[in-house]
Structure formats: structure tokens, C-alpha cells
Amino acid sequence: MNIDQISSPPSKKPLRLWPGVVAVVLQWLAWFVFPAVFPPIAIYGLLFGIFAALVILLWWLFFSRAPWLDRVGAIVVMPVAVIAIRQVVHVSITAGVLITLLSVPLLSLALVAWAVAARRFSGGVRLATLVASMFLACGVLTLIRTSGVTGGAHLDIRWRWTPTPEQRLLAQTREETVPLASPPSPAPAPSPAAATTPEKTPAAPVPEKPAIWPGFRGPNRDDVIRGQQIETDWSTSPPVEMWRRMVGPGWSSFAVRGALVYTQEQRGDDEDVSCYSLASGKLVWRHRDAARFWEPGSGAGPRGTPTVIDGRVYTFGATGIVNALDANTGAVVWSRNAQSDTGAKRPDWGFSSSPLVVNDVVIVAASGRLVAYDVATGTPRWFAQTGGGSYSSPHLMTIGGVAQVVMLSGAGVTSVTPANGTPLWTHAGPGVPILQPAQTSDGDVLIAAGDLIGGMGTRRLAVARGSGGWTVQERWSSTALKPFFNDFVVHKGHAYGFDVSILACIDLQDGARIWKGGRYGHGQLLLLPDQDLMLVLSEEGELALVKATPDQFTEVARFPAALEGKTWNHPVLAGDVLLVRNGEEMAAFRLARAGR
């Protein structure tokens, strides 16, 4: 018996092709076409595409009328092709389950197209072309790389041979004379012996006037700029670009002290803390640690934002390095490794906490653990368990007259005393926290958490201290405002933020939605309360002014060309200078003050 006899159909009935053709057409529309036209549905297109792949599989195995050798052969050859091609595709494609996800539509299309084209081929030719079709389909993956995903889970696919923005930056600055604060230092290894301190005990930091923008989200970590008003008619007084320059990848924001700007970025194999001139954007100094973090969704680089206070810059890198640097020169005062100090496992998206300085300790969050270091020496002062992973940062609040550090984690919310880490109160809750908590005018706490596909909603907690200790009561839980990794602001009894990728306003009395409107992707925003105004930086790098009022959504002005590329970093307004950046470039704009 030859192969033609084995693989020949037992009857004269033709292949039933139409279900496979319809399913693969719908799959490609859902996976690639509709998300390009309407990005917010990307995640749903992905889920539908997987469902369509299952439909194609069931059709092929049970309803196609193909010879059984062909049916089984296709199912066997597909994973073999994926495994074989895995050895030669770009590393960004092999990470995690991405190669599998990208293979699904390619193999689905190849199977259906082959079934249509080869239906009249002889058995041997048909099987040979089947194998060739599957390998050719997977071979397409050798031609591409990905620069990550958007906030809506839309893949940023590029040709493999095109240089990344980081590669262009390194090529441009290879011959640049870099003012290094010190030679590149090796990253502290993940062991207790790796934590490094200077040979002699450093002097305590000298108190100085608070920085205009000391770190992540401003003086109170709430994205609020008080006592300032800007011109809102951008048709006659638009933002004026002061400078623009390339920057290494990373999702750090800025700290601003006097005429200096501090941020964190990745440059090749070095994780950098960089200091630039606020007026010109020129590099003042750079500190380097020999460390690199990368993951396929959001790319390379540090995630935290520097904190500057009393002449020192405190930073937390994506691999766990905690630095205290001289704010004027970048010289190392002390360095630790929070991962080794706490025994924490590095999170999938890297350590993302921004340091919090309270009195004489600097506190960072390391994947379900808080660690406080002495600001002068870097000696660990206390540790606290918060339970569960988190990409949020420790947050200083005063509740019931008591200053406390509130930390969101996978287990819920934990509050500890800043002096020694003693737990005050906890509240259990689901989700993966990325955002900062907020407070209402009467002292309640607002929290939000996300899951794998977006935000889960917002909750209001009433926290009080009584004779029996601290109590926590959930006033309401609302899905009317579902921020994912885009922080929200509180203003005059309302919360404003991104409900997934659309701005929304909710009433803090009951969590009910007041309005929803304005598509800015997964962007970030600042609040100017004196003008009832929000300054929005969209995920596409555009600027907009939106009213922070509950009557309706109103966009006041828009500026289209602030940045190029995916923009997730928090903007900063220092005086009349607006600082914006993403993983490719950063820029400064002067905003006209109101009345001038």
C-alpha cells in the first residue's frame, strides 16, 4: 500500500472548506485589522483570535472531510515548526508565550490556505506541501521583532533589521564625552554580601530648601500643582519647545531641584541615573550601574523615579539596586541591593517602586516587602511584610492625625509607621496594584488595582483610630473608574482618571460615574486645582488641557507633537517648564503663565 492510498479520502465528497475560510478571515480581522482602527478593543481581538483558532482546529479535525493522515499530520507538524523556528527568531519574540501567540494566526492562515490550494494534490505532494507551508508560516517570525505592547495590548511589530531607539542613541553618543560621576560600578549581586557601603561612614545629608519637584508625582505624590495657573488658549500661546534630546529606555519620570533635572534610563548594559540642565537639556553628570532589565511587554530600563532631598538623589533600579548619590556631582554616597536585603523575587515587570524619604529613612518596596535604609549610611533600619506582589510605591499619608506609610500590594493595603515599620492596619483586596493611593478631603483612602487585562475598579476606605485600635471599613467599590497603570487625581469631591483608556469622572460620595470622554490611550495627567484643569499627556505623546469639572467632559486645548513613540511616563510641571519623556526621547516646554 502506498502513501496515496493511505491519505486518499474514503469517499468522493470534497473537502468542507468554507468554515475554515470564514474562521481565519474573522480571526485576522479581529487580531490585526480592528485593533488598528480601534485600539481599545485589542485585548478582545486577541481573545477572539484564540477562540477562532480553536474553531479552526475543531473544523479541521472533525468537519473538514480531509484524510485522517492529513488531519493528524497538520496537528503534529505545527508545534514542531514552532519549536524549530524558536531557535532563530529574535529574543523579543521568544520571550514568554509571545511566539505561541504570534504563531497561532500564521499557522491558522497557512493551514486553511494549504487546504484550499492542495485539495487536488496527490498524497505525497500534499503532505510535503503541508510541512513546507507550516515551516514557511513560522519562518515569517524570523523577519520581525517587537518593541513591546501598548496599554491596550496592541503589539508594536518592527522589522528585525531596523535599529531600536536605544541602538540609535548608543550609536549617536558612542563618541560623546560623558561626564561620569564615577566609573561604571558593578551591580550588587543578589547575596547578602553584595550590599555595598563606602569604606568610611558618610556624613549625614545637610538640610536644604525642598526641591520644586522632589520625585514621583510631586511633593505629595498626588500629581497636583498648587498655586499655579497657565494660559489655556494654546492657539495664541502654545507650549514653546525649549529643548529635546534622545534618552535611554525606561519608564522613570523626573525629579527637579533648582536648575537640575534627574531621571533614570537604560544605556546598553548600564542602568543610569542621569542629571540634566533644566534650561538646556545638556548632560551634567551620569552615574552608571552595570545592570540591565528587560521584559517583552514594556521593554528595557528602570521603572522608578529618583527622589531628591537635602542634596542627595535616591534611586531604585529595576534589578533592585538602591543608590544614594550626591545631587550636585552624582558621587556615590552609599549603595544597596533591596532584592538581596529582603530576599524578594524580582517581579515580572521589574522593581518599580520610587524611593520615599521620611525623616531619616528612605523606604522602597520590593515585591511584597518594605525595606527602610538609613539616609546617611544606607544601613537597613527595618523590614515589613506587605504580602503579594506590587508595582506601587510607598506613600506617606496622615490619617487620624498619625503619619504613616501606606503600601498597596497583591494582598490589599498595609499601613506601617515610618520610624520602625510597625504595622498599623491592613485591608484585604484583590488585584495587582500599580497605582498610588489617594485621599479624600475628609481623610478616606481611595485605592485601585488591576489584573492581567486592565483595571478592576476603585474603592473608598474609611480608616479610623479608636480605643480598640485601627478600623477599616469599605464605603463603596466602583467599576465606573478602572485605572490600570495610569494614576488618578482627586478634586472637589470627585476623582478624575483613566477608565481603561478613556478619561472619566466619578462622584466620591458613591463612586457613580458623572462623565466619560476623551481618548488619550493609557496616558498620564496632572491637576492644576486653581484652574479646575487637568494637563493630559496621551499614550501617543500628545498634550491636552481638560476641565476638571463634573458638569461634562471638555477638552480646552490640544498640542499634537510633544513626543514620538509610546508614552507612559508621568509628566512634570516645574514652575512654567513642562518636562515630558518616554522610552525614546525627552523634551522641555515653556508654558505661558495666565495673565502674562
Side-chain angles (χ1 to χ4, degrees), residues 388-424:
S390 173
Y391 299 97
S392 185
S393 296
H395 200 104
L396 183 64
M397 287 184 169
T398 299
I399 304 174
V402 178
Q404 50 198 277
V405 175
V406 177
M407 184 68 205
L408 307 188
S409 71
V413 194
T414 299
S415 171
V416 302
T417 57
N420 54 25
T422 301
L424 296 177

Side-chain angles (χ1 to χ4, degrees), residues 526-587:
L526 298 169
L527 174 69
L528 287 85
D530 294 358
Q531 292 179 278
D532 296 332
L533 192 68
M534 289 182 286
L535 194 157
V536 180
L537 178 62
S538 79
E539 187 175 12
E540 292 74 32
E542 295 184 326
L543 290 171
L545 295 178
V546 176
K547 285 188 177 181
T549 54
D551 50 350
Q552 64 181 3
F553 166 76
T554 304
E555 182 181 277
V556 178
R558 183 182 284 258
F559 186 72
L563 291 172
E564 295 293 334
K566 179 174 64 182
T567 303
W568 289 343
N569 312 59
H570 286 70
V572 166
L573 185 58
D576 59 355
V577 179
L578 176 68
L579 294 166
V580 292
R581 68 158 287 188
N582 54 26
E584 302 180 22
E585 64 177 352
M586 61 182 183

Side-chain angles (χ1 to χ4, degrees), residues 250-454:
W251 303 115
S252 173
S253 182
F254 302 96
V256 183
R257 168 183 172 264
L260 301 178
V261 176
Y262 308 89
T263 192
Q264 294 170 254
E265 54 186 299
Q266 191 75 46
R267 295 201 176 210
D269 294 328
D270 294 325
E271 187 178 68
D272 290 4
V273 181
S274 304
C275 175
Y276 297 93
S277 165
L278 176 63
S280 66
K282 291 183 178 179
L283 182 63
V284 177
W285 58 255
R286 175 171 294 140
H287 168 80
R288 290 180 171 175
D289 289 305
R292 181 178 179 85
F293 176 81
W294 175 89
E295 62 86 24
S298 52
R303 278 78 170 105
T305 297
T307 298
V308 59
I309 183 171
D310 293 340
R312 297 223 181 135
V313 178
Y314 301 92
T315 61
F316 188 32
T319 64
I321 300 171
V322 183
N323 284 319
L325 309 174
D326 185 285
N328 293 313
T329 67
V332 177
V333 180
W334 53 260
S335 184
R336 301 287 306 194
N337 189 305
Q339 180 176 13
S340 58
D341 287 338
T342 61
K345 179 182 177 182
R346 186 184 302 172
D348 292 340
W349 292 337
F351 292 109
S352 304
S353 167
S354 297
L356 173 68
V357 178
V358 184
N359 299 324
D360 60 348
V361 293
V362 53
I363 306 167
V364 298
S367 191
R369 299 162 176 84
L370 287 175
V371 55
Y373 297 101
D374 187 284
V375 294
T377 65
T379 303
R381 293 272 293 272
W382 54 259
F383 299 89
Q385 294 281 345
T386 59
S390 173
Y391 299 97
S392 185
S393 296
H395 200 104
L396 183 64
M397 287 184 169
T398 299
I399 304 174
V402 178
Q404 50 198 277
V405 175
V406 177
M407 184 68 205
L408 307 188
S409 71
V413 194
T414 299
S415 171
V416 302
T417 57
N420 54 25
T422 301
L424 296 177
W425 54 268
T426 61
H427 179 76
V432 178
I434 302 175
L435 309 182
Q436 296 304 109
Q439 272 187 292
T440 64
S441 59
D442 55 0
D444 281 1
V445 178
L446 298 173
I447 60 175
D451 55 23
L452 291 177
I453 61 173

Side-chain angles (χ1 to χ4, degrees), residues 163-171 246-249 266-270 292 300 583-584:
T164 65
E166 183 183 9
Q167 289 170 333
R168 295 197 300 269
L169 171 66
L170 292 174
M246 296 179 70
V247 68
Q266 191 75 46
R267 295 201 176 210
D269 294 328
D270 294 325
R292 181 178 179 85
E584 302 180 22

Side-chain angles (χ1 to χ4, degrees), residues 65-155:
R65 297 176 181 159
W68 275 106
L69 184 60
D70 292 6
R71 301 188 208 187
V72 176
I75 303 304
V76 171
V77 171
M78 285 182 183
V80 171
V82 174
I83 293 171
I85 213 70
R86 187 184 185 91
Q87 312 308 314
V88 292
V89 298
H90 190 267
V91 64
S92 65
I93 303 299
T94 61
V97 299
L98 186 57
I99 188 172
T100 302
L101 289 176
L102 291 175
S103 298
V104 167
L106 293 171
L107 290 172
S108 299
L109 178 62
L111 175 64
V112 174
W114 168 82
V116 172
R119 64 188 184 277
R120 293 187 176 87
F121 290 176
S122 62
V125 174
R126 192 166 59 248
L127 291 177
T129 54
L130 169 63
V131 174
S133 298
M134 298 301 106
F135 274 82
L136 183 62
C138 289
V140 172
L141 298 179
T142 65
L143 306 177
I144 62 173
R145 62 173 176 83
T146 175
S147 295
V149 297
T150 66
H154 186 71
L155 274 175

